[in-house]
């Protein structure tokens, strides 16, 4: 059964209808957002953002291929194979399944290593690449052109980024996969070529039903951290296909009674008719395989290690002074104790662990999260000599915190971290970093993204296949999406000999 045999009726709809005409008929924020999504054009994406879409896509695919032997990934694939699904979409690593299952699979792969992109807002963050699995599955199902896939990806990025800015939710106890449900609905609607009405129903269904709690990321952190966005991808992709068949859903999901605005206690309005499609260029890519707020602290530790030839045996204590968000999420603040580390999920969200392993190994990559590395005595002993501090007065109102703490005031335009290492011989060394290569102020270029992809994918794909994937992503605006997914299906699910 081919994807075209049961495609939503509007697949062939023209994309030339004026967005402004549609917006004038909109009666809710949801309908305005739906019009933005369904009428987004590839030609409206700025040239730099088109390049950044390809860069972030390659980065996400490297993370996905590099995750193929993860334990939760293996269990997810067992379930997908056991439950089955119409063979409509190619899976990374081979095989075929239904679009909602393909979306869940690719999203889990992209997310598992915790090495993917980030968008940072004041007090809130998200991973826009969580959208790619759903949009890729929908585009594969629809036999979409690469240009239409990239436009749909750009839409999903824009929606999640703008909702993260205007509708912050994590302080209220919700997880950022809540905003992801909206962005997946928008991106999949664009990839399938849905009407504005169908997209509005997709947004209503996904936005009202697929909220998540931030306890997902709290200590002790479990394997669900790496699968939560996959679960949202599965559900939101499924619901968007239902909307394509005519299922109605609450279009007042944002501003209506008991809608999102009521849930978070904040009203907001986004002028979707005037919204650009350049959000991808506001994202950061990770240099190190760890939670995003750790990146500058790792950079500072590695700088001191290289400059002074430091060895762990020389270290008496390490103090990491960071901005408030880093302290709260990975330093032992409101998300819980980060000094107890026994699993991969606990390790990549523990600032003490990643700093300790960086000093010991000179790197923070997938190898630093193997069970035998995490449990080794050297890193377990050293991480207990790392103290995470912040200059913020944690009980003070937010405006006061920002006034007295320059590190927190600088975030998210910068991510300041100061590392002080006191040595057993009485000496002390110190370094401060405010950004890192890959941060939005110092963005990763295409060649650096290719190097990262090669590093992550080399265990599962031969050099010729890796080159073909890189070339397909680079030239995707001139290809069909299935030319890329066919290559991804040839990747091995087990490490090469």
């Amino acid at each position: 059964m081919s994807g075209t045999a049961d495609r939503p009726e509007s697949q062939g709809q023209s994309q030339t209808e004026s967005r402004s005409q549609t917006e004038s008929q909109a009666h809710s924020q949801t309908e305005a957002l739906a019009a933005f999504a369904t009428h987004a054009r590839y030609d409206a994406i700025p040239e730099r953002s088109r390049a950044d879409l390809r860069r972030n896509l390659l980065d996400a695919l490297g993370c996905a291929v590099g995750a193929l032997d993860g334990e939760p990934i293996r269990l997810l694939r067992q379930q997908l194979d056991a439950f089955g699904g119409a063979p409509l979409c190619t899976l990374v690593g081979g095989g075929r399944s239904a679009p909602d299952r393909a979306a869940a699979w690719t999203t889990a792969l992209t997310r598992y290593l915790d090495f993917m992109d980030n968008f940072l807002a004041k007090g809130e963050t998200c991973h826009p690449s969580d959208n790619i699995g759903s949009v890729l599955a929908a585009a594969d199902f629809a036999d979409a052109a690469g240009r239409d896939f990239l436009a749909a990806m750009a839409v999903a990025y824009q929606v999640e980024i703008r909702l993260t800015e205007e509708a912050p939710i994590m302080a209220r106890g919700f997880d950022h996969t809540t905003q992801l449900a909206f962005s997946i609905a928008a991106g999949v609607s664009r990839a399938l070529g849905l009407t504005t009405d169908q997209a509005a129903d997709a947004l209503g269904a996904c936005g009202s039903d697929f909220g998540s709690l931030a306890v997902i990321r709290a200590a002790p952190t479990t394997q669900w951290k790496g699968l939560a966005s996959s679960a949202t991808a599965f559900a939101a992709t499924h619901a968007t296909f239902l909307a394509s068949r005519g299922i109605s859903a609450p279009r007042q999901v944002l501003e209506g009674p008991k809608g999102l605005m009521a849930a978070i206690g904040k009203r907001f309005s986004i002028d979707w008719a005037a919204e650009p499609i350049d959000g991808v260029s506001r994202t950061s890519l990770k240099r190190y395989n760890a939670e995003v707020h750790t990146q500058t602290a790792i950079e500072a530790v590695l700088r001191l290690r290289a400059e002074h030839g430091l060895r762990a045996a020389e270290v008496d204590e390490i103090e990491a002074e960071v901005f408030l968000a880093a302290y709260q999420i990975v330093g032992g603040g409101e998300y819980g104790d980060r000094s107890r580390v026994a699993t991969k999920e606990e390790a990549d969200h523990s600032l003490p662990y990643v700093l300790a392993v960086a000093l010991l190994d000179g790197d923070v990559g997938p190898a630093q999260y193997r069970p035998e590395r995490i449990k080794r005595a050297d890193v377990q002993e050293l991480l207990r000599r790392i103290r995470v501090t912040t200059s913020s007065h944690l009980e003070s109102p937010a405006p006061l915190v920002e006034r007295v703490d320059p590190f927190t005031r600088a975030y998210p335009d910068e991510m300041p971290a100061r590392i002080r290492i006191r040595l057993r011989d009485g000496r002390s060394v110190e370094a401060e970093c405010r950004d890192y290569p890959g941060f939005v102020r110092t963005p990763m270029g295409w060649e650096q993204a290719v190097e990262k992809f090669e590093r992550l994918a080399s265990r599962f794909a031969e050099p010729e296949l890796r080159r073909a994937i890189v070339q397909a992503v680079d030239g995707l605006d001139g290809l069909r999406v299935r030319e890329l997914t066919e290559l991804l299906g040839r990747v091995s699910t087990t490490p090469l000999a």
Side-chain angles (χ1 to χ4, degrees):
M1 181 179 180
S2 70
T4 57
D6 198 24
R7 190 180 304 166
E9 292 180 2
S10 60
Q11 177 61 41
Q13 173 193 348
S14 169
Q15 299 293 328
T16 59
E17 182 181 347
S18 166
R19 190 194 304 171
S20 61
Q21 289 177 334
T22 306
E23 289 290 347
S24 68
Q25 302 167 6
H27 300 293
S28 70
Q29 276 278 294
T30 307
E31 290 166 317
L33 170 51
F36 165 76
T38 55
H39 297 284
R41 296 178 296 107
Y42 178 77
D43 291 343
I45 303 171
E47 189 61 41
R48 178 197 164 182
S49 295
R50 295 182 199 176
D52 290 342
L53 285 167
R54 295 191 294 270
R55 178 202 64 187
N56 283 38
L57 174 60
L58 185 66
D59 184 80
L61 293 178
C63 293
V65 174
L68 278 163
D69 62 345
E71 177 65 9
I73 299 301
R74 181 183 65 81
L75 298 175
L76 174 61
R77 185 59 190 258
Q78 284 181 358
Q79 181 156 304
L80 292 177
D81 290 345
F83 288 4
L88 301 173
C89 299
T90 299
L91 300 177
V92 177
R96 295 176 66 79
S97 192
D100 48 7
R101 288 161 171 77
W105 173 244
T106 303
T107 305
L109 289 171
T110 302
R111 183 68 181 80
Y112 175 67
L113 292 181
D114 212 332
F115 210 171
M116 63 295 161
D117 64 19
N118 276 88
F119 171 74
L120 302 174
K122 197 72 174 176
E124 194 99 350
T125 184
C126 66
H127 303 290
S129 57
D130 281 347
N131 292 282
I132 289 174
S134 297
V135 176
L136 187 64
D140 188 10
F141 170 87
D143 190 21
R147 290 164 62 93
D148 286 324
F149 164 76
L150 291 169
M153 178 180 162
V155 163
Y157 268 59
Q158 196 74 28
V159 171
E160 186 170 15
I161 285 169
R162 294 293 287 121
L163 289 179
T164 298
E165 287 183 312
E166 299 296 332
I169 56 175
M170 296 192 77
R172 309 280 296 194
F174 293 100
D175 187 61
H176 54 69
T177 48
T178 300
Q179 293 123 327
L180 177 66
F182 287 93
S183 57
I184 287 177
V188 170
S189 292
R190 174 61 178 85
L192 294 176
L194 301 192
T195 66
T196 298
D197 280 343
Q198 290 169 324
D201 287 327
L203 287 160
C206 296
S208 61
D209 242 58
F210 307 135
S212 303
L213 298 178
V215 68
I216 293 165
R217 316 212 179 267
T221 312
T222 66
Q223 291 176 332
W224 194 249
K225 172 183 71 81
L227 294 178
S229 56
S230 171
T232 300
F234 177 85
T237 303
H238 183 81
T240 302
F241 272 87
L242 284 176
S244 78
R245 297 178 185 276
I247 298 290
S248 64
R251 298 189 183 184
Q252 72 277 25
V253 63
L254 290 170
E255 73 273 31
K258 306 301 183 180
L260 181 67
M261 295 184 196
I264 66 173
K266 179 188 176 184
R267 298 200 66 81
F268 62 91
S269 179
I270 299 172
D271 185 358
W272 291 106
E275 189 70 18
I277 320 177
D278 60 357
V280 65
S281 297
R282 301 172 62 198
T283 62
S284 298
L285 299 183
K286 293 181 181 178
R287 187 178 192 185
Y288 306 108
N289 188 181
E291 199 274 345
V292 67
H293 296 111
T294 69
Q295 300 289 303
T296 44
I298 294 171
E299 184 83 2
V301 163
L302 291 176
R303 183 184 301 174
L304 290 172
R305 183 182 191 270
E307 290 177 356
H308 300 281
L310 296 179
R311 294 178 296 109
E314 301 175 285
V315 174
D316 182 44
E317 183 186 58
I318 299 174
E319 179 187 355
E321 183 183 350
V322 295
F323 50 97
L324 184 58
Y327 175 81
Q328 298 285 41
I329 296 170
V330 294
E334 65 181 4
Y335 278 73
D337 182 10
R338 298 302 189 181
S339 65
R340 297 177 183 272
V341 176
T343 66
K344 186 263 183 205
E345 290 76 19
E346 290 173 336
D348 66 34
H349 267 52
S350 166
L351 186 56
Y353 177 84
V354 298
L355 295 184
V357 83
L359 185 62
L360 287 162
D361 294 1
D363 191 18
V364 183
Q368 277 64 51
Y369 299 111
R370 293 173 183 152
E372 62 273 17
R373 183 68 193 99
I374 293 171
K375 295 174 183 177
R376 200 176 302 161
D378 60 350
V379 71
Q380 289 290 332
E381 193 278 330
L382 182 57
L383 75 85
R384 285 169 173 75
R385 288 187 272 132
I386 296 177
R387 185 164 55 94
V388 183
T389 67
T390 178
S391 297
S392 299
H393 298 292
L394 302 182
E395 301 302 321
S396 300
L400 180 58
V401 167
E402 294 177 10
R403 191 159 59 245
V404 300
D405 178 9
F407 278 18
T408 296
R409 189 168 60 245
Y411 176 81
D413 297 323
E414 298 178 344
M415 294 204 306
R418 181 180 296 116
I419 300 295
R420 302 181 185 92
I421 301 180
R422 284 180 276 278
L423 303 175
R424 296 189 188 279
D425 64 6
R427 290 183 298 139
S428 180
V429 294
E430 179 178 311
E432 180 178 318
C433 286
R434 304 187 77 86
D435 59 23
Y436 65 93
F439 186 60
V440 65
R441 297 199 320 172
T442 51
M444 186 180 292
W446 175 254
E447 292 305 319
Q448 289 73 40
V450 171
E451 290 172 7
K452 182 177 173 182
F453 173 83
E454 290 282 343
R455 200 163 64 245
L456 291 172
S458 61
R459 295 173 58 234
F460 299 93
E462 299 285 359
E464 182 179 355
L465 179 56
R466 298 199 303 270
R467 284 193 296 272
I469 293 171
V470 170
Q471 290 170 1
V473 172
D474 193 28
L476 191 55
D477 55 355
L479 302 176
R480 310 297 294 183
V481 165
R482 288 180 179 173
E483 295 179 72
L484 173 60
T485 56
E486 188 276 333
L487 293 172
L488 296 172
R490 289 163 49 192
V491 172
S492 172
T493 56
T494 56
L496 303 173

